[in-house]
Amino acid sequence: MTLDAICTTRGLLGHILLNRPKALNALTLPMVEVIAPTLAAWAADPAIKAVVIRGAGDRAFCAGGDVRAVWDAGLQRKRGEGAGALTAAFFAGEYRLNRQIKHFPKPYVALIDGITMGGGVGLSVHGSHRVTTEKTLLAMPETGIGLFPDVGGTWFLPRLPGRLGLYLGLTGARITAGDLAYACIATHHSRSEALDDLERDLETALSSAPDANSAVEAVLGHHAATPDEPTLPAHRDAIDRCFDADSIEGIFARLENEGSDWAAKTLASLKTMSPTSLKVTFEQLRRGAELEFDDCMRLEFRMTQAVMDGHDFYEGIRSVLVDKDRNPKWQPASLDAVDPAFVARHFAPPADGDLTFPG
Ligand code: QUE
């Protein structure tokens, strides 16, 4: 039997391999259930000095959460078939793991070599070291599947420079290494073909260095390369102007008035997203700016339970991952028809209680 996540030790280095290459290493509950207890043990184990996480295959670090499985369970839950427990268990497990990474007391090095979306972002951004390559393509695309930028998006997106977080979280824009460095999402850059050597050098350096963080920094510095030119700086003023409005409608109006190609494309892209998701995400990131990390994760869990009771998540997964027609029929279909009471429900305690954290 092959495990979908393989945790091994290499000397003083803990190593996590996301091992579903055919599914772009999309994160499943069984993977979470392998990784979480291992990370907890490594946090307490003096024989582990640092952790590396990497994806198997040459295409992806991790394309997201296994939302297809959540979709199946959510449909059962809607039909009252009871098996919908996974919808709560998956998000709870994933968010608790995000929190473990955020509070992990040793260097945590994510090698985000390839596609990194949604759940994959949650396995990387909260760690101390985020290494991109020329193959990195990262996005928080959840508004396009009727969800919202979760896995700690509530925490990290409002803390990016200017209005970049709102821009990335609403549009789902896909960005590469240069932009990830510019947005302070990545900390280091290396060449994809150097990563095997980099991992070996980490193991060697940790075995002799008194200080794990200095050893990790030295190895990442030794393998440093120059990323592609960032594209965001050219649009940064427009992003900060347009996404500084006090509502989604206000952002739409500012993009309309902007009069540039970039603004027209950005507006067109936003108009393909779930109107409910856009409004929910706007409120999520407004609140997140003021919340502690753990409260962000509790809030996201609340939000998932409202999403599972709604329409657009099912339609989004259908259109993107099941039928792949990329033609979702959102309900409601326009911003003005989104019920403020339904948006508000995303931020209220769920019927089965709030997310709790062990310890
Ligand atoms: C938004 C998402 C996800 C997505 C596409 C979106 C997501 C996710 C996947 C995905 C991709 C490839 C796979 C897979 C899942 O796509 O979270 O199993 O093989 O996991 O627009 O949030």
Side-chain angles (χ1 to χ4, degrees), residues 149-338:
D150 64 340
V151 296
T154 311
W155 168 266
F156 85 86
L157 290 171
R159 286 163 180 79
L160 298 184
R163 305 300 279 180
L164 284 177
L166 196 56
Y167 166 72
L168 294 174
L170 290 173
T171 65
R174 285 146 170 73
I175 59 175
T176 58
D179 281 329
L180 290 164
Y182 172 74
C184 310
I185 296 171
T187 59
H188 295 77
H189 183 76
S190 191
R191 292 198 42 82
S192 179
E193 66 190 17
L195 294 184
D196 287 340
D197 285 346
L198 186 153
E199 286 181 338
R200 252 191 311 271
D201 290 351
L202 277 176
E203 181 186 337
T204 308
L206 288 170
S207 70
S208 58
D211 171 50
N213 197 60
S214 311
V216 169
E217 291 285 335
V219 171
L220 297 185
H222 178 72
H223 287 281
T226 307
D228 56 337
E229 276 300 310
T231 64
L232 289 172
H235 306 300
R236 177 62 193 282
D237 288 347
I239 289 171
D240 287 357
R241 251 195 322 274
C242 297
F243 286 80
D244 192 40
D246 62 6
S247 65
I248 295 292
E249 289 87 344
I251 293 171
F252 275 33
R254 290 190 187 190
L255 286 168
E256 261 152 34
N257 291 335
E258 188 72 15
S260 67
D261 260 16
W262 171 85
K265 280 190 192 132
T266 301
L267 183 59
S269 156
L270 284 172
K271 286 182 174 171
T272 69
M273 303 305 182
S274 155
T276 302
S277 289
L278 292 178
K279 290 209 164 181
V280 164
T281 299
F282 187 88
E283 177 65 11
Q284 170 203 358
L285 300 189
R286 195 185 66 73
R287 291 179 181 232
E290 313 285 333
L291 294 176
E292 303 284 344
F293 186 86
D294 291 8
D295 291 325
C296 288
M297 303 323 292
R298 267 188 282 268
L299 186 69
E300 290 183 7
F301 183 76
R302 290 184 173 191
M303 296 173 71
T304 63
Q305 300 309 292
V307 164
M308 293 302 130
D309 288 338
H311 167 273
D312 281 0
F313 175 72
Y314 303 94
E315 176 61 7
I317 300 293
R318 184 206 63 71
S319 78
V320 171
L321 293 177
V322 180
D323 298 337
K324 303 189 195 220
D325 57 29
R326 291 208 161 256
N327 185 24
K329 301 277 182 262
W330 305 125
Q331 284 179 20
S334 65
L335 291 176
D336 58 323
V338 175

Side-chain angles (χ1 to χ4, degrees), residues 20-27 62-68 115 117-120 140-145 147-148 150 174 316-317 320-321 324 326:
R20 295 177 72 224
K22 285 182 197 143
L24 304 179
N25 302 318
L27 186 68
C62 171
D66 185 14
V67 277
R68 172 82 195 248
I115 296 165
M117 297 198 303
M140 291 297 283
E142 292 88 353
T143 56
I145 57 164
L147 193 58
F148 58 89
D150 64 340
R174 285 146 170 73
I317 300 293
V320 171
L321 293 177
K324 303 189 195 220
R326 291 208 161 256

Side-chain angles (χ1 to χ4, degrees), residues 331-359:
Q331 284 179 20
S334 65
L335 291 176
D336 58 323
V338 175
D339 179 5
F342 184 58
V343 174
R345 246 184 73 198
H346 288 71
F347 304 95
D352 296 329
D354 271 319
L355 179 64
T356 57
F357 298 115

